[in-house]
Amino acid sequence: MKFVPVLLSVCIGLGAFSFSSETKANDQLAVTLCEYIAVDDKGRVRKALKSSRVKVRNIFGSIQCNGNNILRHAIASNAVETGKLIVKGLPKSALSDGADIAWAESNGHGASPLIAEIKKRAGL
């Protein structure tokens, strides 16, 4: 009779630990990606994504680097190769609104080669 409450407590405890470790892993992935994007290390970005088993399109909306999404962070850091990788990994619908292009132009990054890549991918 005492087995059921004990088992329930153990399951709840294990569930709590699994969520916190996943959160820490996601935070670590975000920090790692932001650092690799800042130094334009395309190979390490690709390796970090592959080892974490995630795709750019799945994390694009959830990772912020210095208050910007990862594409804007690449534009601001002049990380052309990494930025191209990000653009290729995003669906066209994520780029078609032109918000990242408008942001780049309003923040003095209008001459970035990534703007042309975004326009080409989005069909703008």
Side-chain angles (χ1 to χ4, degrees):
M1 201 65 169
K2 291 182 181 182
F3 180 72
V4 173
V6 172
L7 182 63
L8 184 61
S9 297
V10 170
C11 289
I12 291 172
L14 288 175
F17 286 117
S18 67
F19 286 119
S20 55
S21 66
E22 183 177 324
T23 303
K24 289 178 186 176
N26 289 341
D27 290 343
Q28 183 60 40
L29 176 63
V31 170
T32 300
L33 287 176
C34 291
E35 290 174 356
Y36 292 159
I37 291 169
V39 296
D40 198 17
D41 195 338
K42 177 181 168 182
R44 286 188 175 177
V45 168
R46 182 177 288 157
K47 185 176 180 181
L49 290 170
K50 188 173 182 176
S51 68
S52 298
R53 297 182 186 154
V54 295
K55 293 183 179 183
V56 172
R57 67 179 59 220
N58 297 335
I59 62 165
F60 181 70
S62 62
I63 292 184
Q64 297 285 312
C65 304
N66 297 331
N68 296 318
N69 64 37
I70 57 176
L71 181 57
R72 292 179 183 182
H73 183 62
I75 293 169
S77 302
N78 199 26
V80 178
E81 293 303 315
T82 306
K84 287 180 183 179
L85 175 72
I86 294 167
V87 169
K88 289 177 183 177
L90 291 174
K92 292 178 184 179
S93 61
L95 301 170
S96 62
D97 63 356
D100 294 315
I101 296 170
W103 174 87
E105 291 172 350
S106 68
N107 287 299
H109 302 292
S112 173
L114 289 174
I115 301 302
E117 290 292 323
I118 294 170
K119 288 180 179 178
K120 180 179 167 184
R121 174 86 173 134
L124 300 174

